[in-house]
Amino acid sequence: MVPTSRFSVRALSLAVAAVSTTLSMSASASMGNIGTTYGVMPIDVATAQSLSMFNDQVSATYYNPAALTRDERGELTSGILHAEQELRSANPNANGDVVSSSPSQHVLVGMKTNLGSLTRFDHPLYLGFIAGVEKYGKEMLAFDSQTSSNGQFLQYGKEPLFLNLGAATPIWRGISVGVSARITLEATANLQAVSTLGGETSRERLAVNAEPQIKTIFGTTIDLGSTFCPESNCFLQGWETAFTYRTKSSASTTVDSSIIVTQTIPDPGLSLAVSTIDSFQPETFGFGAQYKGDGWRIGGSVEQQNWSELSDEFKGDTIKNQSTIPASSRIQFDDTIIPRLGAEYDLNKNFSLRGGVAYEESPLKTTRNPEINYLDTDKIVVGLGISATYDRTRILAFPVRFDLGYQYQKLQERDFTLVDYDNSTPDVQTKADGDIHVISGSVTLKF
């Protein structure tokens, strides 16, 4: 008789392969998203997200929905983002130092409009949304959860569907508030099949369902000059502040399968269950301030990202298997504080330059992580970008705006210990680092 474990592996492989084929192409998953890892639109990329709380483009639905009120006009934006990654781990047992060099590629589309005209009240109500899809629109639910013997980076890889919907309104003298929803998916799949001893299946039945999970983002902006001295000039003129709060969110996949093996495993068959996290975005508190002069502005922000909650999320992940590891050896995360600083300068009425810098401390606390072998390091982020406004459109009512942003991320060196799957080989010491190059472009139409 063939051992049951052989069919366990075969059934599990069949279930996961079937679900992956149904949902997407296989890809390396990421515990971040484009909003936290790179920046959504070119302005966010170019300023290292330092001025994102004050940007009036549709990416405000993620960073600070209250900023949707900064421009009364409607907006239609389309853009692309391409990130080249060289993530390295100096492992003597691997073929070369490069762990991952596959690019992350996104197509983005967003729109903003004023719905105040739908009501009888003369009060603006702005609605905006933005969506981003991996591989230039070819992969909506890309994921791959796995263990690794050579190490895998925590925050880089394929990004799942990015979707935000938000609304904002001014409430009193320079004060605006907004709320938006970060939408992620929890995918479930159920596979039933009958298999022979030779591995040939029949009477297969596969059901896949994706349920949206809605997480909330709150934001507010305060124009200090308009609020405290609306009728006269004072030292607060030009100053603005912003506060944001994002609840934690994650995408997950669950696979349940029941395999009947003729003459070996009768009905109800061999039951297998796999549950894994595809991505995770931490609970985030943010504060930002900027000063706007005549044709220029400078500002910055500070974010607290509560990554420590991810340790509990991994306890229910059957692939990463943290529940089977002694508590003292499980993967652990720290909450982090991220400072950002940026500036923008108008060369003339048609061209603007901007740049930014940020220092992001790694949330990964432990350097020896059995079953997963995650790698993550502190990083320095530098961005630079340009905007061009074309106002001789002849047909369109408002000028067309083109944005281009570049970002470089330097991952600092950090030592890790890699653990073999089944402890058949000794632990390996490795040094992780990397370089990330990001370029993003967009076209914006006003209406």
Side-chain angles (χ1 to χ4, degrees), residues 329-347:
S329 300
R330 292 174 186 171
I331 191 170
Q332 297 180 33
F333 297 88
D334 281 330
D335 300 335
T336 61
I337 302 293
I338 301 176
R340 309 180 192 273
L341 182 65
E344 184 179 84
Y345 179 73
D346 296 336
L347 299 175

Side-chain angles (χ1 to χ4, degrees), residues 172-174 222-239:
W172 186 70
R173 289 198 332 205
I222 304 175
D223 184 330
L224 299 180
S226 299
T227 302
F228 295 103
C229 43
E231 299 180 356
S232 62
N233 290 327
C234 66
F235 72 97
L236 293 176
Q237 292 291 340
W239 284 99

Side-chain angles (χ1 to χ4, degrees), residues 241-370:
T241 60
F243 302 88
T244 63
Y245 171 71
R246 294 196 297 266
T247 58
K248 70 174 181 179
S249 61
S250 62
S252 63
T253 299
T254 301
V255 181
D256 292 312
S257 64
S258 178
I259 308 297
I260 298 173
V261 181
T262 54
Q263 301 179 350
T264 306
I265 303 178
D267 189 30
L270 176 66
S271 296
L272 294 169
V274 176
S275 180
T276 187
I277 301 172
D278 300 337
S279 67
F280 177 82
Q281 296 80 47
E283 179 185 43
T284 302
F285 298 87
F287 168 76
Q290 75 166 11
Y291 180 79
K292 191 171 184 180
D294 184 14
W296 60 273
R297 62 172 174 157
I298 186 170
S301 65
V302 177
E303 289 184 5
Q304 176 177 315
Q305 298 183 353
N306 295 335
W307 284 92
S308 57
E309 300 176 3
L310 182 55
S311 302
D312 294 331
E313 297 285 338
F314 277 155
K315 292 179 181 178
D317 194 310
T318 58
I319 291 181
K320 300 176 177 68
N321 282 336
Q322 292 301 290
S323 61
T324 63
I325 298 174
S328 59
S329 300
R330 292 174 186 171
I331 191 170
Q332 297 180 33
F333 297 88
D334 281 330
D335 300 335
T336 61
I337 302 293
I338 301 176
R340 309 180 192 273
L341 182 65
E344 184 179 84
Y345 179 73
D346 296 336
L347 299 175
N348 52 45
K349 69 174 185 177
N350 297 105
F351 292 93
S352 299
L353 286 176
R354 61 183 58 90
V357 62
Y359 180 78
E360 300 185 18
E361 187 178 2
S362 169
L364 182 59
K365 180 179 181 179
T366 47
T367 58
R368 184 182 185 275
N369 304 300

Side-chain angles (χ1 to χ4, degrees), residues 4 11 17-18 38 72 76 141 155 204 211 216 249 251 290 336 387 408:
T4 302
Y38 310 117
E72 297 179 352
L76 179 63
L141 302 177
Q155 299 186 64
E204 298 93 340
E211 178 181 350
T216 310
S249 61
Q290 75 166 11
T336 61
S387 291
Y408 171 69

Side-chain angles (χ1 to χ4, degrees), residues 18 189-194 202-208 256-259:
N190 183 269
L191 174 67
Q192 298 178 355
V194 176
S202 61
R203 288 184 280 173
E204 298 93 340
R205 181 181 178 183
L206 176 65
V208 181
D256 292 312
S257 64
S258 178
I259 308 297

Side-chain angles (χ1 to χ4, degrees), residues 150-167:
N150 295 325
Q152 54 185 324
F153 276 77
L154 176 71
Q155 299 186 64
Y156 296 97
K158 300 296 185 181
E159 310 283 350
L161 176 68
F162 183 87
L163 185 60
N164 266 79
L165 176 67

